[in-house]
Amino acid sequence: MQIISYKKISIQDRQLLLATKKVSERSVTLKKHKVGCIIMCTDGSTYQGATTTRTRAIGSTCAERMALDQWYFKHPKKDPAICYLVGTFDRESWQDNFICTPCGVCLEMFLELLIQRKLKKLKFMCGNWKLSKVLIADLSELFPQFGKGGWPYAKNIGGR
Ligand SMILES: [Zn+2]
């Protein structure tokens, strides 16, 4: 896991993070939350999602879930390879230099995807709202780490 300057990532990744920020403008929210997600598959195909925040959390949808649900709906043969995420939140404590990462529900959803499709990893590129820095991580690194054993799922997929 690393955080690097936006300028140091590839042009393709920069374009996709910029597109992800544009996708976040499609968010449906009573506040000014904006979260966009683009999932790129191994063949370069992409699936987009934006957050939908309703008055009850149970009716809300994360950008990542909307993007992955589109992937499931189209039932493509190629697997997701990179998940791009950019977001900002209408909260007093939120600053535009913060980096939005997937919530616990989305982490579990992506973990199920790995198990279902027997994938070894899923890369995340999460940009801050200003698109000045990018968190690059594998799904396993976004989960809480439990002692020396590392990620519990690692044994099943031959990871670390
Ligand atoms: Zn989520």
Side-chain angles (χ1 to χ4, degrees), residues 61-65 101-107 109:
T61 302
C62 293
E64 305 95 299
R65 276 187 276 162
T101 58
C103 73
V105 173
C106 288
L107 289 177
M109 173 190 74

